[in-house]
Amino acid sequence: MEAPINEGFRDSISTIGEDGKRAWVFPKKPSGKFYDYRKIVSYVLLVFLFAAPFVKINGNQFLLFNVLERRFNVFGFPFWPQDFHLFVISMIIGVVFITIFTVAFGRIFCGWICPQTIFLEMVFRRIEYWIDGDRGAQMKLKRTKWTPEKIRKRVLKHTIFIIISFFIANVFLAYLIGSDKLLNYVTEGPSQHLSTLFPLLIFTGLFYFVFSWFREQVCIIACPYGRLQGVLLDNQSIIVAYDHKRGEGENGRKKFRKNEDREALGHGDCIDCMQCVHVCPTGIDIRNGTQLECVNCTACIDECDDIMEKVGYPKGLIRYASEDNIEKKAPFKLTTRLKAYIVVLVILTGVLIAMLQLRNDVEARVLRLPGQLFEHKANNVISNVFTYKVVNKTTQEIDNVNFKLKKYKGTVKLVSTDNSFVVPAQGLAQGTLFIELDQSLLKEDKTKLTIEVYSLDKLIETTTVNFLGPRSYN
């Protein structure tokens, strides 16, 4: 009979002590196969994260999220306010994609891809290991009185943390306002752009606070993704799991003793060394089962495999596995729910691709001037006044833009010195125009007209308007 697992740990989170205060986590420095893989993935993603705002495709910043001006670039595709539906679909596709991976592989996104985990584990903690030492040295340093050595280490560590946080804040700002504008601000000096400097310092303080103090609390308390595990995971989901069937045996885990027949004594392969707990960045005991604090970072897998190798037991006591795999040795298979998510993802991706293909680089809108009806001019000419707005989503200026009526023999007159205009790159042109038609052409009180937008005699866009005027009974 298996030893019962005490579920009392679920009454509180791992980083809160019995006295209700913060229980600081001192994780052991991880090492092993999975950690090496994670370092490669993390550094590739860090290069991508820092380079993305400064890479341009067809003149468009690779990634831009300018909320204030409502301009977004995703993988070089510019999204204007008029393209907001495309941006929303793109975000929904991202959410569905992460959902699929969560259903199939648990919080693999958190452990391998999330910027919070990458910065904390692969940047800030590695600096901390370099300055303060490993788990034991850090715990000893915290208990030590404020000696010159401790002060030196604390000042050095937190100075580096602040510098890195400032650098991250600048990159973050490049995503918000654009890399060109950021570099311009840097060259002109902070005193010329105080309105931007203060938010930059606030973000620097926020990043410093998160990575120097709040740390794993972001994943446990602030991030809602961990709470979704209870909804998205099932017995088929492959997660970082402890094989309790093998580890506990009939009489539970037991400390290792050389030449002891553990199988005869009814004990499992877990030697209760606590190394999986000591290496965990969120301070949990993976042997208690699935927990919301677990970010699937695989540090416990590497540590347990190392211990198993040292004592001569098979690796894989902690591994990527599903509950059904541990209980029933069942292989992974696509569940009905997972298939449904994949179908939704394929449909949404197809819709987005189709919309992107139909999307025009130039968008024109002509609207009736509020409060104006029509004017009856000489020779039975009816005139309507409209406002126009032409948006140029490209990085090239559009010259000699003019309007023409399709099918109807009428005139379009711009309220300017010339009947053509220029639309700046990634900008818009707007103004007022008159449309004049002979009354004999009006068969209804409201006539739908198609306006063609030309640039150097090349049709670049069409739009429609409603022309008001008394119908002709001839």
Side-chain angles (χ1 to χ4, degrees):
M1 183 177 179
E2 295 179 9
I5 296 177
N6 181 10
E7 295 285 339
F9 72 95
R10 299 192 188 278
D11 294 338
S12 64
I13 59 178
S14 58
T15 53
I16 301 297
E18 294 181 358
D19 57 356
K21 296 181 180 179
R22 167 84 176 271
W24 195 266
V25 178
F26 294 95
K28 180 182 176 181
K29 186 178 180 179
S31 62
K33 177 181 69 175
F34 282 106
Y35 186 64
D36 291 338
Y37 292 156
R38 283 178 59 212
K39 284 195 291 186
I40 295 172
V41 173
S42 296
Y43 295 140
V44 169
L45 290 176
L46 282 173
V47 170
F48 173 82
L49 182 69
F50 289 128
F54 302 95
V55 173
K56 293 187 177 181
I57 297 179
N58 296 325
N60 295 314
Q61 186 170 309
F62 190 69
L63 289 176
L64 174 68
F65 304 96
N66 192 333
V67 179
L68 296 179
E69 297 179 6
R70 294 181 296 172
R71 288 177 54 196
F72 305 91
N73 291 350
V74 180
F75 304 138
F77 285 100
F79 292 89
W80 286 66
Q82 294 84 357
D83 300 319
F84 187 70
H85 59 290
L86 297 176
F87 183 75
V88 170
I89 292 177
S90 300
M91 294 300 101
I92 293 174
I93 287 174
V95 171
V96 174
F97 186 76
I98 293 175
T99 300
I100 288 175
F101 266 81
T102 305
V103 173
F105 303 109
R107 290 181 73 176
I108 191 172
F109 173 84
C110 297
W112 290 75
I113 304 175
C114 177
Q116 160 70 16
T117 302
I118 291 175
F119 276 118
L120 178 59
E121 300 300 327
M122 297 300 173
V123 179
F124 288 87
R125 280 209 203 276
R126 288 178 66 83
I127 292 172
E128 196 165 58
Y129 290 135
W130 170 57
I131 297 175
D132 291 348
D134 208 340
R135 170 183 163 83
Q138 290 181 25
M139 296 174 71
K140 181 179 178 181
L141 185 65
K142 184 178 182 181
R143 294 192 299 265
T144 303
K145 294 182 179 179
W146 285 96
T147 62
E149 177 68 10
K150 182 174 180 177
I151 293 174
R152 183 188 69 81
K153 288 185 174 182
R154 286 289 186 263
V155 171
L156 176 61
K157 182 177 73 171
H158 288 282
T159 300
I160 295 175
F161 281 4
I162 291 173
I163 293 173
I164 295 176
S165 298
F166 181 73
F167 181 66
I168 296 172
N170 275 272
V171 175
F172 180 74
L173 191 63
Y175 280 98
L176 295 180
I177 66 174
S179 57
D180 291 340
K181 188 177 290 187
L182 174 68
L183 294 175
N184 184 49
Y185 288 176
V186 172
T187 55
E188 291 180 357
S191 60
Q192 303 295 320
H193 303 282
L194 294 178
S195 61
T196 303
L197 177 63
F198 288 122
L200 180 64
L201 295 177
I202 292 173
F203 280 120
T204 299
L206 178 63
F207 288 128
Y208 171 72
F209 168 74
V210 167
F211 295 118
S212 68
W213 189 83
F214 206 47
R215 298 193 160 190
E216 71 284 342
Q217 300 290 81
V218 173
C219 308
I220 298 173
I221 298 175
C223 180
Y225 187 45
R227 304 301 194 276
L228 289 176
Q229 284 193 105
V231 178
L232 298 177
L233 296 185
D234 55 31
N235 290 341
Q236 291 282 337
S237 301
I238 297 178
I239 58 175
V240 173
Y242 166 67
D243 189 343
H244 58 89
K245 304 282 284 188
R246 172 188 158 192
E248 301 296 315
E250 294 182 357
N251 296 323
R253 61 187 76 124
K254 184 179 183 294
K255 294 291 184 180
F256 177 75
R257 289 186 181 179
K258 196 173 182 180
N259 299 324
E260 182 181 54
D261 191 348
R262 297 174 66 89
E263 186 176 353
L265 295 173
H267 294 294
D269 285 356
C270 179
I271 63 173
D272 206 19
C273 62
M274 298 295 291
Q275 294 305 304
C276 60
V277 179
H278 293 163
V279 79
C280 179
T282 58
I284 67 169
D285 189 340
I286 191 65
R287 298 171 298 179
N288 287 331
T290 304
Q291 296 155 70
L292 67 87
E293 297 99 322
C294 179
V295 294
N296 282 205
C297 70
T298 69
C300 55
I301 296 180
D302 283 331
E303 200 65 25
C304 186
D305 281 351
D306 183 58
I307 296 296
M308 291 293 104
E309 189 174 27
K310 289 178 179 178
V311 299
Y313 293 162
K315 296 180 181 180
L317 181 58
I318 302 175
R319 63 182 187 273
Y320 273 120
S322 66
E323 185 64 28
D324 281 356
N325 178 258
I326 292 174
E327 290 282 354
K328 309 172 186 176
K329 305 298 181 184
F332 174 76
K333 64 179 181 179
L334 291 177
T335 62
T336 302
R337 183 169 60 137
L338 196 54
K339 291 177 182 178
Y341 286 140
I342 293 174
V343 170
V344 171
L345 180 63
V346 170
I347 293 174
L348 287 174
T349 304
V351 170
L352 178 62
I353 292 174
M355 287 184 170
L356 288 174
Q357 293 297 322
L358 296 173
R359 176 178 177 268
N360 202 340
D361 289 335
V362 178
E363 185 167 323
R365 181 167 296 181
V366 179
L367 299 174
R368 175 173 305 283
L369 190 65
Q372 299 293 321
L373 292 177
F374 61 87
E375 181 182 358
H376 204 147
K377 304 180 75 172
N379 300 320
N380 286 329
V381 172
I382 306 300
S383 175
N384 281 204
V385 60
F386 299 88
T387 60
Y388 68 86
K389 181 182 292 184
V390 181
V391 178
N392 179 9
K393 302 173 186 177
T394 71
T395 57
Q396 302 295 324
E397 186 179 81
I398 302 177
D399 298 321
N400 294 318
V401 179
N402 57 84
F403 298 105
K404 295 180 182 179
L405 288 178
K406 185 178 181 180
K407 294 183 180 179
Y408 287 88
K409 292 182 178 180
T411 59
V412 179
K413 296 181 179 179
L414 300 185
V415 183
S416 63
T417 57
D418 197 352
N419 276 333
S420 66
F421 55 92
V422 175
V423 186
Q426 293 187 334
L428 61 88
Q430 54 187 343
T432 307
L433 60 84
F434 290 97
I435 297 179
E436 297 181 351
L437 290 178
D438 192 288
Q439 185 179 355
S440 62
L441 299 174
L442 306 180
K443 305 303 180 183
E444 301 290 340
D445 293 336
K446 182 186 293 185
T447 303
K448 188 173 184 179
L449 303 179
T450 299
I451 299 178
E452 298 177 327
V453 185
Y454 284 85
S455 172
L456 298 174
D457 297 324
K458 178 184 177 182
L459 180 65
I460 59 175
E461 172 68 319
T462 60
T463 186
T464 59
V465 296
N466 288 320
F467 188 89
L468 300 183
R471 72 176 70 181
S472 174
Y473 292 96
N474 297 331

